[in-house]
Amino acid sequence: MNTTKEKIFITKPFLPPKEEYFKYVEKIYENDILTNQGPLLKELEEKLSSYLGVKNFQYVTNGTIALQIALKALGIDEGEVITTPFSYVATTSSVLWQGCKPVFVDIEPDNFTIDVNKIEEKITSETKAIMPVHVFGYACDIEGIQKIADTYGLKVIYDAAHAFGSVYKGKSLLDYGDISCCSFHATKLYHTVEGGACVVKDDEVNKKLDLIKRFGCVGEEHFTLGINAKQSEFHAAMGLANFPYIGKIIARRKEISQMYDKALSGLVQRPKRQEGLEYNYAYYPVVFKSEDELLKVFEMLNEEGIYPRRYFYPSLNKLPYLSERQSCPISEDITSRIANLPLYPNLKDEAVERIANIVKEVL
């Protein structure tokens, strides 16, 4: 194994200059407010809402709880929720946590988002909502999903954990559906260390979600069942310090992705970008011809201190704690062969070339 070169992991969080973060920390000490919807949090919500061009932007503790309180705010705490098996486990766990049954619809083979042509056959009298995922920041078939939702009177909650910075037909991907939920975890292209958000279409639903995230009460008055999904001023400070760098972060990720594209063209399958999508370059997924090929690439990269990730794996319909088995053959196939290569702003050009050359050598 190569021990002379720095290890390269799937991602590395962007950190702003310390003095820029500490400038906001000093404000926290001056204000003596650490949490409970403090001034830095409100400032961050306003900046992100303006940047995305959305209203009713709710900053919360993480992307998973964003999904859970989205379901709760829409009154969905029983019945079935149609979703995708190709996502991180949080998509399915949030449905289960709310006491609902996830009903899996297989994915499109080209861009790995939920196959809109297979949704209607899964709708029953118990179906309450559709929870698609903008996988890797690529857009779902938004028009097709909304048409089905309108026809059957269903809510649409987008798991948009990867979608920050992606724009579809002139609007942020977070501006679609009844509620879109985003993640600002440290691994995301824009982060607040931990964090998430809900973007809510309906003003009354937004008021309810705001109550839910604060225990369901205001002062001593209690209105509804709630939870503590409030975020701290220190997390908001990191978000504010990172905010000016969003454009540079996306631009650098695009440069790296284009380097991979040039080196690996014709050797691996890549997601097909939807027409009208301005991509955020959140990830660099590649699909190999077989699982054996993937494992050989991983072995060679690992020997050189490079650690890509099988993402997503396994297909969520295979989770061991589900009450019943649902078949999703395309997702099951793709999850066995897909990986994400290292991608982050500080990844050097020579490291990208080294990674690509090792992959080419195996293939």
Side-chain angles (χ1 to χ4, degrees):
M1 179 176 176
N2 189 325
T3 58
T4 62
K5 294 181 179 179
E6 181 183 0
K7 290 183 179 180
I8 299 172
F9 295 97
I10 179 66
T11 190
K12 188 176 183 180
F14 174 84
L15 286 171
K18 285 186 283 187
E19 60 272 16
E20 295 182 17
Y21 177 64
F22 291 157
K23 178 183 69 175
Y24 289 105
V25 172
E26 287 175 1
K27 289 186 178 181
I28 296 173
Y29 276 79
E30 290 169 7
N31 297 330
D32 206 23
I33 298 172
L34 306 185
T35 186
N36 288 346
Q37 306 297 105
L40 294 187
L41 182 143
K42 291 177 181 177
E43 181 182 348
L44 181 62
E45 284 186 331
E46 289 172 4
K47 283 190 172 182
L48 291 176
S49 178
S50 176
Y51 172 79
L52 296 167
V54 300
K55 68 171 187 174
N56 297 334
F57 183 94
Q58 300 269 1
Y59 179 45
V60 297
T61 47
N62 58 66
T64 305
I65 207 163
L67 292 169
Q68 292 171 208
I69 63 177
L71 287 161
K72 190 69 176 176
L74 292 169
I76 302 167
D77 48 18
E78 63 177 357
E80 298 174 351
V81 176
I82 289 175
T83 188
T84 172
F86 191 69
S87 181
Y88 187 60
V89 68
T91 311
T92 296
S93 66
S94 64
V95 174
L96 291 167
W97 204 269
Q98 278 304 111
C100 300
K101 175 186 175 183
V103 175
F104 295 106
V105 169
D106 212 347
I107 60 174
E108 296 181 353
D110 293 331
N111 59 38
F112 318 137
T113 58
I114 193 168
D115 189 339
V116 72
N117 295 313
K118 297 177 180 177
I119 291 177
E120 282 191 271
E121 64 191 54
K122 295 293 183 78
I123 295 174
T124 72
S125 59
E126 296 299 311
T127 306
K128 308 297 183 184
I130 307 171
M131 186 184 282
V133 178
H134 296 306
V135 180
F136 304 132
Y138 294 94
C140 296
D141 183 346
I142 288 169
E143 293 86 355
I145 290 167
Q146 194 59 55
K147 183 178 179 181
I148 292 170
D150 292 342
T151 299
Y152 292 91
L154 305 175
K155 301 297 184 183
V156 178
I157 302 169
Y158 279 109
D159 183 337
H162 300 169
F164 183 89
S166 281
V167 175
Y168 179 67
K169 294 189 175 179
K171 294 200 307 181
S172 167
L173 262 187
L174 274 67
D175 201 26
Y176 294 92
D178 293 284
I179 301 178
S180 282
C181 302
C182 194
S183 171
F184 299 135
H185 184 263
T187 58
K188 300 298 186 289
L189 68 85
Y190 169 78
H191 76 87
T192 63
V193 184
E194 286 278 4
C198 294
V199 176
V200 190
K201 278 292 182 190
D202 183 83
D203 291 342
E204 291 304 312
V205 175
N206 182 60
K207 291 176 184 177
K208 186 175 181 180
L209 190 144
D210 184 53
L211 270 175
I212 290 170
K213 81 174 185 183
R214 294 188 282 164
F215 298 103
C217 61
V218 178
E220 302 304 318
E221 288 192 77
H222 295 261
F223 298 94
T224 187
L225 176 66
I227 196 169
N228 183 9
K230 297 182 279 73
Q231 187 57 290
S232 82
E233 288 289 270
F234 287 93
H235 291 86
M238 181 59 77
L240 288 166
N242 278 337
F243 181 80
Y245 296 95
I246 293 171
K248 290 182 179 178
I249 290 168
I250 294 176
R252 176 57 183 158
R253 298 175 81 96
K254 180 179 180 180
E255 288 178 356
I256 295 169
S257 297
Q258 289 175 335
M259 289 179 66
Y260 279 137
D261 285 344
K262 185 176 180 180
L264 300 177
S265 177
L267 295 176
V268 292
Q269 179 187 349
R270 295 272 293 127
K272 182 180 178 182
R273 188 184 306 184
Q274 295 84 353
E275 187 176 344
L277 178 71
E278 296 174 40
Y279 187 49
N280 63 359
Y281 301 92
Y283 296 87
Y284 196 85
V286 292
V287 182
F288 298 97
K289 292 184 176 67
S290 67
E291 186 172 28
D292 285 343
E293 190 174 78
L294 177 148
L295 294 174
K296 287 176 183 176
V297 169
F298 270 45
E299 181 181 7
M300 185 73 78
L301 288 170
N302 291 170
E303 286 178 359
E304 291 293 313
I306 301 164
Y307 301 94
R309 183 177 173 187
R310 300 187 71 171
Y311 198 63
F312 303 103
Y313 184 82
S315 185
L316 296 179
N317 60 303
K318 294 287 191 178
L319 288 172
Y321 45 80
L322 293 172
S323 59
E324 65 179 63
R325 289 285 168 257
Q326 302 177 44
S327 176
C328 297
I330 297 174
S331 177
E332 292 164 29
D333 173 50
I334 295 296
T335 55
S336 73
R337 300 186 287 123
I338 194 167
N340 277 272
L341 299 182
L343 177 61
Y344 49 89
N346 293 336
L347 190 62
K348 297 177 181 177
D349 286 2
E350 53 265 33
V352 178
E353 292 172 1
R354 186 157 65 96
I355 293 165
N357 286 336
I358 292 170
V359 175
K360 287 169 70 176
E361 182 181 341
V362 177
L363 300 184

mmCIF file with all atom_site columns, all heavy atoms in Angstrom, residues 62-77:
data_model
loop_
_atom_site.group_PDB
_atom_site.id
_atom_site.type_symbol
_atom_site.label_atom_id
_atom_site.label_alt_id
_atom_site.label_comp_id
_atom_site.label_asym_id
_atom_site.label_entity_id
_atom_site.label_seq_id
_atom_site.pdbx_PDB_ins_code
_atom_site.Cartn_x
_atom_site.Cartn_y
_atom_site.Cartn_z
_atom_site.occupancy
_atom_site.B_iso_or_equiv
_atom_site.pdbx_formal_charge
_atom_site.auth_seq_id
_atom_site.auth_comp_id
_atom_site.auth_asym_id
_atom_site.auth_atom_id
_atom_site.pdbx_PDB_model_num
ATOM 1   N N   . ASN A 1 62 ? -31.303 19.074 11.031 1.00 0.00 ? 62 ASN A N   1
ATOM 2   C CA  . ASN A 1 62 ? -30.696 18.190 10.027 1.00 0.00 ? 62 ASN A CA  1
ATOM 3   C C   . ASN A 1 62 ? -31.719 17.837 8.960  1.00 0.00 ? 62 ASN A C   1
ATOM 4   O O   . ASN A 1 62 ? -32.918 18.118 9.103  1.00 0.00 ? 62 ASN A O   1
ATOM 5   C CB  . ASN A 1 62 ? -30.101 16.923 10.671 1.00 0.00 ? 62 ASN A CB  1
ATOM 6   C CG  . ASN A 1 62 ? -31.123 16.128 11.454 1.00 0.00 ? 62 ASN A CG  1
ATOM 7   O OD1 . ASN A 1 62 ? -32.066 15.581 10.888 1.00 0.00 ? 62 ASN A OD1 1
ATOM 8   N ND2 . ASN A 1 62 ? -30.938 16.067 12.763 1.00 0.00 ? 62 ASN A ND2 1
ATOM 9   N N   . GLY A 1 63 ? -31.248 17.194 7.904  1.00 0.00 ? 63 GLY A N   1
ATOM 10  C CA  . GLY A 1 63 ? -32.114 16.868 6.776  1.00 0.00 ? 63 GLY A CA  1
ATOM 11  C C   . GLY A 1 63 ? -33.101 15.760 7.072  1.00 0.00 ? 63 GLY A C   1
ATOM 12  O O   . GLY A 1 63 ? -34.175 15.701 6.455  1.00 0.00 ? 63 GLY A O   1
ATOM 13  N N   . THR A 1 64 ? -32.761 14.873 8.001  1.00 0.00 ? 64 THR A N   1
ATOM 14  C CA  . THR A 1 64 ? -33.671 13.776 8.342  1.00 0.00 ? 64 THR A CA  1
ATOM 15  C C   . THR A 1 64 ? -34.882 14.282 9.094  1.00 0.00 ? 64 THR A C   1
ATOM 16  O O   . THR A 1 64 ? -36.027 13.951 8.772  1.00 0.00 ? 64 THR A O   1
ATOM 17  C CB  . THR A 1 64 ? -32.943 12.710 9.171  1.00 0.00 ? 64 THR A CB  1
ATOM 18  O OG1 . THR A 1 64 ? -31.783 12.277 8.472  1.00 0.00 ? 64 THR A OG1 1
ATOM 19  C CG2 . THR A 1 64 ? -33.845 11.504 9.430  1.00 0.00 ? 64 THR A CG2 1
ATOM 20  N N   . ILE A 1 65 ? -34.628 15.105 10.086 1.00 0.00 ? 65 ILE A N   1
ATOM 21  C CA  . ILE A 1 65 ? -35.759 15.644 10.848 1.00 0.00 ? 65 ILE A CA  1
ATOM 22  C C   . ILE A 1 65 ? -36.598 16.582 9.982  1.00 0.00 ? 65 ILE A C   1
ATOM 23  O O   . ILE A 1 65 ? -37.807 16.730 10.204 1.00 0.00 ? 65 ILE A O   1
ATOM 24  C CB  . ILE A 1 65 ? -35.289 16.328 12.143 1.00 0.00 ? 65 ILE A CB  1
ATOM 25  C CG1 . ILE A 1 65 ? -36.411 16.266 13.185 1.00 0.00 ? 65 ILE A CG1 1
ATOM 26  C CG2 . ILE A 1 65 ? -34.835 17.755 11.913 1.00 0.00 ? 65 ILE A CG2 1
ATOM 27  C CD1 . ILE A 1 65 ? -35.950 16.529 14.600 1.00 0.00 ? 65 ILE A CD1 1
ATOM 28  N N   . ALA A 1 66 ? -35.978 17.176 8.969  1.00 0.00 ? 66 ALA A N   1
ATOM 29  C CA  . ALA A 1 66 ? -36.738 17.994 8.027  1.00 0.00 ? 66 ALA A CA  1
ATOM 30  C C   . ALA A 1 66 ? -37.806 17.154 7.339  1.00 0.00 ? 66 ALA A C   1
ATOM 31  O O   . ALA A 1 66 ? -38.959 17.581 7.193  1.00 0.00 ? 66 ALA A O   1
ATOM 32  C CB  . ALA A 1 66 ? -35.794 18.616 6.998  1.00 0.00 ? 66 ALA A CB  1
ATOM 33  N N   . LEU A 1 67 ? -37.446 15.947 6.926  1.00 0.00 ? 67 LEU A N   1
ATOM 34  C CA  . LEU A 1 67 ? -38.414 15.053 6.291  1.00 0.00 ? 67 LEU A CA  1
ATOM 35  C C   . LEU A 1 67 ? -39.511 14.648 7.267  1.00 0.00 ? 67 LEU A C   1
ATOM 36  O O   . LEU A 1 67 ? -40.698 14.594 6.917  1.00 0.00 ? 67 LEU A O   1
ATOM 37  C CB  . LEU A 1 67 ? -37.698 13.805 5.763  1.00 0.00 ? 67 LEU A CB  1
ATOM 38  C CG  . LEU A 1 67 ? -36.747 14.007 4.582  1.00 0.00 ? 67 LEU A CG  1
ATOM 39  C CD1 . LEU A 1 67 ? -35.909 12.750 4.353  1.00 0.00 ? 67 LEU A CD1 1
ATOM 40  C CD2 . LEU A 1 67 ? -37.501 14.373 3.312  1.00 0.00 ? 67 LEU A CD2 1
ATOM 41  N N   . GLN A 1 68 ? -39.124 14.359 8.494  1.00 0.00 ? 68 GLN A N   1
ATOM 42  C CA  . GLN A 1 68 ? -40.091 13.907 9.493  1.00 0.00 ? 68 GLN A CA  1
ATOM 43  C C   . GLN A 1 68 ? -41.115 14.994 9.817  1.00 0.00 ? 68 GLN A C   1
ATOM 44  O O   . GLN A 1 68 ? -42.321 14.729 9.870  1.00 0.00 ? 68 GLN A O   1
ATOM 45  C CB  . GLN A 1 68 ? -39.357 13.461 10.766 1.00 0.00 ? 68 GLN A CB  1
ATOM 46  C CG  . GLN A 1 68 ? -38.535 12.209 10.584 1.00 0.00 ? 68 GLN A CG  1
ATOM 47  C CD  . GLN A 1 68 ? -37.646 11.877 11.754 1.00 0.00 ? 68 GLN A CD  1
ATOM 48  O OE1 . GLN A 1 68 ? -36.606 11.248 11.608 1.00 0.00 ? 68 GLN A OE1 1
ATOM 49  N NE2 . GLN A 1 68 ? -38.019 12.308 12.949 1.00 0.00 ? 68 GLN A NE2 1
ATOM 50  N N   . ILE A 1 69 ? -40.637 16.227 10.031 1.00 0.00 ? 69 ILE A N   1
ATOM 51  C CA  . ILE A 1 69 ? -41.593 17.279 10.377 1.00 0.00 ? 69 ILE A CA  1
ATOM 52  C C   . ILE A 1 69 ? -42.376 17.745 9.159  1.00 0.00 ? 69 ILE A C   1
ATOM 53  O O   . ILE A 1 69 ? -43.480 18.279 9.293  1.00 0.00 ? 69 ILE A O   1
ATOM 54  C CB  . ILE A 1 69 ? -40.910 18.462 11.096 1.00 0.00 ? 69 ILE A CB  1
ATOM 55  C CG1 . ILE A 1 69 ? -39.889 19.157 10.204 1.00 0.00 ? 69 ILE A CG1 1
ATOM 56  C CG2 . ILE A 1 69 ? -40.279 17.995 12.403 1.00 0.00 ? 69 ILE A CG2 1
ATOM 57  C CD1 . ILE A 1 69 ? -39.254 20.395 10.871 1.00 0.00 ? 69 ILE A CD1 1
ATOM 58  N N   . ALA A 1 70 ? -41.832 17.518 7.960  1.00 0.00 ? 70 ALA A N   1
ATOM 59  C CA  . ALA A 1 70 ? -42.602 17.811 6.745  1.00 0.00 ? 70 ALA A CA  1
ATOM 60  C C   . ALA A 1 70 ? -43.826 16.899 6.674  1.00 0.00 ? 70 ALA A C   1
ATOM 61  O O   . ALA A 1 70 ? -44.943 17.350 6.399  1.00 0.00 ? 70 ALA A O   1
ATOM 62  C CB  . ALA A 1 70 ? -41.732 17.631 5.512  1.00 0.00 ? 70 ALA A CB  1
ATOM 63  N N   . LEU A 1 71 ? -43.603 15.611 6.916  1.00 0.00 ? 71 LEU A N   1
ATOM 64  C CA  . LEU A 1 71 ? -44.721 14.673 6.946  1.00 0.00 ? 71 LEU A CA  1
ATOM 65  C C   . LEU A 1 71 ? -45.740 15.070 8.010  1.00 0.00 ? 71 LEU A C   1
ATOM 66  O O   . LEU A 1 71 ? -46.954 15.068 7.781  1.00 0.00 ? 71 LEU A O   1
ATOM 67  C CB  . LEU A 1 71 ? -44.204 13.256 7.210  1.00 0.00 ? 71 LEU A CB  1
ATOM 68  C CG  . LEU A 1 71 ? -43.478 12.570 6.043  1.00 0.00 ? 71 LEU A CG  1
ATOM 69  C CD1 . LEU A 1 71 ? -42.632 11.406 6.552  1.00 0.00 ? 71 LEU A CD1 1
ATOM 70  C CD2 . LEU A 1 71 ? -44.477 12.082 4.997  1.00 0.00 ? 71 LEU A CD2 1
ATOM 71  N N   . LYS A 1 72 ? -45.230 15.415 9.194  1.00 0.00 ? 72 LYS A N   1
ATOM 72  C CA  . LYS A 1 72 ? -46.115 15.775 10.306 1.00 0.00 ? 72 LYS A CA  1
ATOM 73  C C   . LYS A 1 72 ? -46.914 17.030 9.999  1.00 0.00 ? 72 LYS A C   1
ATOM 74  O O   . LYS A 1 72 ? -48.120 17.096 10.262 1.00 0.00 ? 72 LYS A O   1
ATOM 75  C CB  . LYS A 1 72 ? -45.272 15.977 11.578 1.00 0.00 ? 72 LYS A CB  1
ATOM 76  C CG  . LYS A 1 72 ? -46.088 16.120 12.851 1.00 0.00 ? 72 LYS A CG  1
ATOM 77  C CD  . LYS A 1 72 ? -46.764 14.807 13.205 1.00 0.00 ? 72 LYS A CD  1
ATOM 78  C CE  . LYS A 1 72 ? -47.509 14.908 14.515 1.00 0.00 ? 72 LYS A CE  1
ATOM 79  N NZ  . LYS A 1 72 ? -48.253 13.639 14.810 1.00 0.00 ? 72 LYS A NZ  1
ATOM 80  N N   . ALA A 1 73 ? -46.266 18.025 9.427  1.00 0.00 ? 73 ALA A N   1
ATOM 81  C CA  . ALA A 1 73 ? -46.942 19.285 9.131  1.00 0.00 ? 73 ALA A CA  1
ATOM 82  C C   . ALA A 1 73 ? -48.057 19.103 8.105  1.00 0.00 ? 73 ALA A C   1
ATOM 83  O O   . ALA A 1 73 ? -49.047 19.844 8.111  1.00 0.00 ? 73 ALA A O   1
ATOM 84  C CB  . ALA A 1 73 ? -45.936 20.321 8.640  1.00 0.00 ? 73 ALA A CB  1
ATOM 85  N N   . LEU A 1 74 ? -47.893 18.116 7.229  1.00 0.00 ? 74 LEU A N   1
ATOM 86  C CA  . LEU A 1 74 ? -48.918 17.828 6.217  1.00 0.00 ? 74 LEU A CA  1
ATOM 87  C C   . LEU A 1 74 ? -49.954 16.833 6.716  1.00 0.00 ? 74 LEU A C   1
ATOM 88  O O   . LEU A 1 74 ? -50.829 16.398 5.961  1.00 0.00 ? 74 LEU A O   1
ATOM 89  C CB  . LEU A 1 74 ? -48.259 17.309 4.937  1.00 0.00 ? 74 LEU A CB  1
ATOM 90  C CG  . LEU A 1 74 ? -47.422 18.349 4.174  1.00 0.00 ? 74 LEU A CG  1
ATOM 91  C CD1 . LEU A 1 74 ? -46.604 17.680 3.073  1.00 0.00 ? 74 LEU A CD1 1
ATOM 92  C CD2 . LEU A 1 74 ? -48.313 19.448 3.586  1.00 0.00 ? 74 LEU A CD2 1
ATOM 93  N N   . GLY A 1 75 ? -49.862 16.457 7.998  1.00 0.00 ? 75 GLY A N   1
ATOM 94  C CA  . GLY A 1 75 ? -50.846 15.564 8.603  1.00 0.00 ? 75 GLY A CA  1
ATOM 95  C C   . GLY A 1 75 ? -50.689 14.116 8.200  1.00 0.00 ? 75 GLY A C   1
ATOM 96  O O   . GLY A 1 75 ? -51.648 13.340 8.271  1.00 0.00 ? 75 GLY A O   1
ATOM 97  N N   . ILE A 1 76 ? -49.501 13.731 7.788  1.00 0.00 ? 76 ILE A N   1
ATOM 98  C CA  . ILE A 1 76 ? -49.272 12.357 7.322  1.00 0.00 ? 76 ILE A CA  1
ATOM 99  C C   . ILE A 1 76 ? -48.568 11.575 8.425  1.00 0.00 ? 76 ILE A C   1
ATOM 100 O O   . ILE A 1 76 ? -47.355 11.663 8.596  1.00 0.00 ? 76 ILE A O   1
ATOM 101 C CB  . ILE A 1 76 ? -48.442 12.347 6.029  1.00 0.00 ? 76 ILE A CB  1
ATOM 102 C CG1 . ILE A 1 76 ? -49.159 13.153 4.945  1.00 0.00 ? 76 ILE A CG1 1
ATOM 103 C CG2 . ILE A 1 76 ? -48.179 10.914 5.550  1.00 0.00 ? 76 ILE A CG2 1
ATOM 104 C CD1 . ILE A 1 76 ? -48.319 13.468 3.739  1.00 0.00 ? 76 ILE A CD1 1
ATOM 105 N N   . ASP A 1 77 ? -49.354 10.850 9.222  1.00 0.00 ? 77 ASP A N   1
ATOM 106 C CA  . ASP A 1 77 ? -48.788 10.016 10.278 1.00 0.00 ? 77 ASP A CA  1
ATOM 107 C C   . ASP A 1 77 ? -49.385 8.611  10.272 1.00 0.00 ? 77 ASP A C   1
ATOM 108 O O   . ASP A 1 77 ? -49.329 7.887  11.264 1.00 0.00 ? 77 ASP A O   1
ATOM 109 C CB  . ASP A 1 77 ? -48.959 10.671 11.651 1.00 0.00 ? 77 ASP A CB  1
ATOM 110 C CG  . ASP A 1 77 ? -50.376 11.162 11.893 1.00 0.00 ? 77 ASP A CG  1
ATOM 111 O OD1 . ASP A 1 77 ? -51.295 10.712 11.175 1.00 0.00 ? 77 ASP A OD1 1
ATOM 112 O OD2 . ASP A 1 77 ? -50.555 11.995 12.788 1.00 0.00 ? 77 ASP A OD2 1
#
